[in-house]
Amino acid sequence: MIRWYALGVAVLDFVLIIYGFWHHYNFQNSEFQLRESYTWIPQLGISWSVAVDGLSMPLIVLSGLVTTLAIVAAWKINHKPRLFYFLMLFMYSAQLGVFAAQDLVLFFLMWELELLPVYLLISIWGGKQRFYAATKFILYTAAGSVFILVAALVMAFAGDTVTFDMQTLGNRHYPIALELVAYAGFLIAYGVKLPIFPLHTWLPDAHSQASAPVSMILAGVLLKMGGYGLMRMNLEMLPHAHTYFAPVLAVLGVVNIIYGALLAFSQDNLKRRLAYSSISHMGFVLIGIASFTELGMNGAILQMLSHGLIAAALFFLSGVTYERTHTLAMAKMGGMAKEMPKAFALFTAGSMASLALPGMSGFVGELSVFLGVTTSSVYSSSFKVVIVLLAAVGLILTPIYLLSLLRQVFFGKNNSGIIIEKYLGDAKAREIFVTACLLIPIIGIGLYPKLVTQTYDVKTVAVAAQMRQSLPLIVQEESPLYSGTFTAPQLAKTKAQPILGVTQY
């Protein structure tokens, strides 16, 4: 009864999300829509204000899909099921609150409310080192959250009136020093969640100890909260500071890609390898955000959506494998393709999507990021060449560690030291259904990207135009952050430049 109730609530909420956006959301409007605002604490200018636009709408849909499927994936949870499903639904609410909040205090509260369910889900239903992983998670993310509150207070008290309304704060003009301080605070907080090197060390431990349904949400949705925060606040609300920090984000993106890929290859634990793969793929999001082009920002959002689906599928399948073998050590596996041909086929499809096979969503997202950087008129040619070449190294390393994973787990001879639960057999109908619900949109987006890009195209064009308007001031000031290795951003020589049918203004 508890399982069916939780699933019924999740499905009903997801259906309402789809219905609301299908009938009441205008894809051609870059402004906030479906706004609801109620005065909460008028003395401090705090309100319960929610709305959606092109940045948040696709992530809300992703959150609904992945969380609903995670509840289906957790169907065999028998230990404290009432608490488990309560925490799953509680976390569902917090996710939607983060993506919809238009008041910085409300955003901060929703961000904090999401931490407690994850901590409990790991510490109660996790592996042997679950307490260590859960404590590390809560310390890193809670400490990072403090910077959100500090930056929010700095922005709220900077004007004549105190307000936490994000749209009002985004229209204010701040001294550049204050804007840089706020930007740095948000960057640290979202850098922990994304995660960005060197704030990433909590993620492999959390993934390796969390159960498969929790890992699905952690990789599929919660990491995207960091990317969303960077685009919503750092990029959209603090555009002048972003022009200083953008080259830093691009460099950190390259570091994430190469560092995450190299460490993924060195992991013997199945879920730790997938966790470092997530760190590597999030590097493309940083590069897209730093590109100053709508094509690059489109790629960043598409990469977040694509990785959310792919990572959720792979972590779920790792849980399917663990249920049969009771181990995550790849050295103890081998020859499982004969024992589990259906699971092998699904795992292979997910791995192909993760390594950006053409025809799948991963390829479109990474290609858009590359095109966005190379066609940017902001950076010097030498800087763009270095960034693209180093990022391309990740495209070489990713197939190496993913194909190596498939070889170690599914090919070769059966390991005599491992006992496969014969009564479980191959992937069951429920497990095939969950994976198929993730693979179908992965392939659909890969073949026809407009399925999702049309939901945020108008918004990214508006944000990119806002970014380029802030460039002249920074160029005139000749910021020292661009000296030495990096060339200061230069304005485009022409006002319009058509690229792949997309006009850059």
Side-chain angles (χ1 to χ4, degrees), residues 190-197 199-208 212 214-224 226-227 252-265 267 269-287 300 303-316 318 350-351 353-355 366 394 397-398 401-402 405:
Y190 304 138
V192 172
K193 183 71 76 175
L194 193 61
I196 300 174
F197 173 89
L199 306 174
H200 67 284
T201 58
W202 64 270
L203 183 65
D205 293 309
H207 271 308
S208 62
V214 178
S215 286
M216 289 175 65
I217 298 177
L218 188 60
V221 181
L222 300 190
L223 300 190
K224 312 308 172 287
L252 288 174
V254 169
V255 172
N256 259 45
I257 292 170
I258 298 178
Y259 174 85
L262 289 175
L263 262 69
F265 186 70
Q267 301 302 311
N269 184 290
L270 177 59
K271 293 184 74 174
R272 287 184 72 90
R273 178 168 292 198
L274 295 177
Y276 278 108
S277 174
S278 295
I279 295 172
S280 179
H281 283 90
M282 289 299 97
F284 289 100
V285 175
L286 289 175
I287 295 176
Q303 178 71 359
M304 287 194 289
L305 298 174
S306 170
H307 179 265
L309 297 169
I310 295 170
L314 290 176
F315 277 108
F316 172 67
S318 69
S351 299
S354 184
L355 60 82
E366 294 180 11
L397 294 175
T398 303
Y401 66 73
L402 285 174
L405 182 154

Side-chain angles (χ1 to χ4, degrees), residues 313-491:
L314 290 176
F315 277 108
F316 172 67
L317 291 170
S318 69
V320 172
T321 305
Y322 179 79
E323 285 184 359
R324 271 74 175 174
T325 62
H326 301 292
T327 183
L328 291 172
M330 292 186 290
K332 296 181 180 180
M333 301 181 190
M336 294 179 61
K338 296 180 181 179
E339 304 287 345
M340 304 163 56
K342 296 177 184 177
F344 164 62
L346 296 173
F347 213 120
T348 301
S351 299
M352 293 300 107
S354 184
L355 60 82
L357 184 74
M360 293 188 169
S361 60
F363 172 78
V364 183
E366 294 180 11
L367 178 63
S368 299
V369 170
F370 277 113
L371 291 176
V373 174
T374 55
T375 58
S376 176
S377 59
V378 173
Y379 298 109
S380 65
S381 299
S382 58
F383 181 78
K384 291 189 291 185
V385 168
V386 171
I387 292 295
V388 170
L389 287 180
L390 291 178
V393 173
L395 298 182
I396 300 173
L397 294 175
T398 303
I400 295 176
Y401 66 73
L402 285 174
L403 295 178
S404 172
L405 182 154
L406 292 174
R407 176 181 58 80
Q408 289 181 264
V409 175
F410 293 103
F411 290 96
K413 296 181 180 179
N414 291 341
N415 194 314
S416 58
I418 194 170
I419 301 175
I420 299 178
E421 296 289 356
K422 299 294 184 180
Y423 72 93
L424 290 175
D426 201 357
K428 305 298 183 184
R430 175 181 60 88
E431 296 163 338
I432 295 174
F433 170 78
V434 171
T435 312
C437 287
L438 295 166
L439 288 176
I440 289 173
I442 289 171
I443 297 173
I445 295 171
L447 296 177
Y448 190 64
K450 194 177 179 181
L451 284 173
V452 294
T453 58
Q454 64 181 345
T455 64
Y456 54 80
D457 269 339
V458 176
K459 181 65 178 182
T460 54
V461 169
V463 174
Q466 179 186 4
M467 289 298 97
R468 286 192 287 274
Q469 287 176 1
S470 65
L471 279 171
L473 175 63
I474 306 304
V475 174
Q476 292 170 10
E477 292 178 355
E478 297 180 355
S479 167
L481 291 176
Y482 293 106
S483 62
T485 305
F486 307 114
T487 302
Q490 300 296 322
L491 294 178

Side-chain angles (χ1 to χ4, degrees), residues 21 25-34 51-62 99-100 102 227-228 231-232 236 294 297-302 304-305 451-463:
F21 288 150
Y25 183 84
N26 181 7
F27 294 158
Q28 303 305 316
N29 185 358
S30 63
E31 302 298 325
F32 287 103
Q33 303 177 53
L34 308 180
V52 293
D53 65 352
L55 296 182
S56 55
M57 178 269 192
L59 293 173
I60 289 176
V61 175
L62 174 69
F99 294 132
Q102 292 302 304
Y228 169 76
M231 298 192 76
R232 172 67 70 206
E236 188 177 15
E294 52 265 33
M297 282 183 277
N298 275 7
I301 299 176
L302 187 56
M304 287 194 289
L305 298 174
L451 284 173
V452 294
T453 58
Q454 64 181 345
T455 64
Y456 54 80
D457 269 339
V458 176
K459 181 65 178 182
T460 54
V461 169
V463 174

Side-chain angles (χ1 to χ4, degrees), residues 44-378:
L44 297 177
I46 299 174
S47 62
W48 177 278
S49 179
V50 293
V52 293
D53 65 352
L55 296 182
S56 55
M57 178 269 192
L59 293 173
I60 289 176
V61 175
L62 174 69
S63 178
L65 175 62
V66 172
T67 305
T68 302
L69 293 176
I71 291 176
V72 178
W75 207 250
K76 292 186 177 181
I77 294 292
N78 295 315
H79 179 57
K80 298 181 179 179
R82 191 187 304 273
L83 177 60
F84 180 89
Y85 290 109
F86 165 77
L87 293 173
M88 293 286 279
L89 293 177
F90 189 88
M91 184 164 52
Y92 193 0
S93 300
Q95 294 165 18
L96 300 184
V98 167
F99 294 132
Q102 292 302 304
D103 183 280
L104 269 179
V105 172
L106 178 61
F107 177 91
F108 173 75
L109 290 177
M110 292 297 176
W111 188 279
E112 290 293 285
L113 289 176
E114 166 266 328
L115 302 183
L116 182 60
V118 179
Y119 171 78
L120 293 175
L121 287 167
I122 295 176
S123 60
I124 298 176
W125 290 273
K128 295 180 180 179
Q129 296 182 323
R130 59 186 181 274
F131 298 114
Y132 169 78
T135 303
K136 193 172 184 179
F137 163 81
I138 199 70
L139 288 177
Y140 266 75
T141 51
S145 301
V146 173
F147 290 92
I148 298 178
L149 182 59
V150 172
L153 292 173
V154 168
M155 296 176 66
F157 287 91
D160 298 330
T161 59
V162 178
T163 180
F164 291 93
D165 182 73
M166 292 166 65
Q167 194 167 7
T168 303
L169 294 176
N171 293 328
R172 278 183 177 177
H173 296 284
Y174 305 97
I176 190 62
L178 185 146
E179 197 166 325
L180 289 171
V181 170
Y183 191 104
F186 286 134
L187 180 59
I188 293 172
Y190 304 138
V192 172
K193 183 71 76 175
L194 193 61
I196 300 174
F197 173 89
L199 306 174
H200 67 284
T201 58
W202 64 270
L203 183 65
D205 293 309
H207 271 308
S208 62
Q209 298 303 314
S211 60
V214 178
S215 286
M216 289 175 65
I217 298 177
L218 188 60
V221 181
L222 300 190
L223 300 190
K224 312 308 172 287
M225 289 164 54
Y228 169 76
L230 284 174
M231 298 192 76
R232 172 67 70 206
M233 297 177 195
N234 294 59
L235 194 152
E236 188 177 15
M237 296 172 61
L238 303 169
H240 293 98
H242 181 69
T243 57
Y244 284 92
F245 276 95
V248 179
L249 292 184
V251 172
L252 288 174
V254 169
V255 172
N256 259 45
I257 292 170
I258 298 178
Y259 174 85
L262 289 175
L263 262 69
F265 186 70
S266 66
Q267 301 302 311
D268 177 63
N269 184 290
L270 177 59
K271 293 184 74 174
R272 287 184 72 90
R273 178 168 292 198
L274 295 177
Y276 278 108
S277 174
S278 295
I279 295 172
S280 179
H281 283 90
M282 289 299 97
F284 289 100
V285 175
L286 289 175
I287 295 176
I289 292 173
S291 67
F292 286 95
T293 64
E294 52 265 33
L295 193 56
M297 282 183 277
N298 275 7
I301 299 176
L302 187 56
Q303 178 71 359
M304 287 194 289
L305 298 174
S306 170
H307 179 265
L309 297 169
I310 295 170
L314 290 176
F315 277 108
F316 172 67
L317 291 170
S318 69
V320 172
T321 305
Y322 179 79
E323 285 184 359
R324 271 74 175 174
T325 62
H326 301 292
T327 183
L328 291 172
M330 292 186 290
K332 296 181 180 180
M333 301 181 190
M336 294 179 61
K338 296 180 181 179
E339 304 287 345
M340 304 163 56
K342 296 177 184 177
F344 164 62
L346 296 173
F347 213 120
T348 301
S351 299
M352 293 300 107
S354 184
L355 60 82
L357 184 74
M360 293 188 169
S361 60
F363 172 78
V364 183
E366 294 180 11
L367 178 63
S368 299
V369 170
F370 277 113
L371 291 176
V373 174
T374 55
T375 58
S376 176
S377 59
V378 173

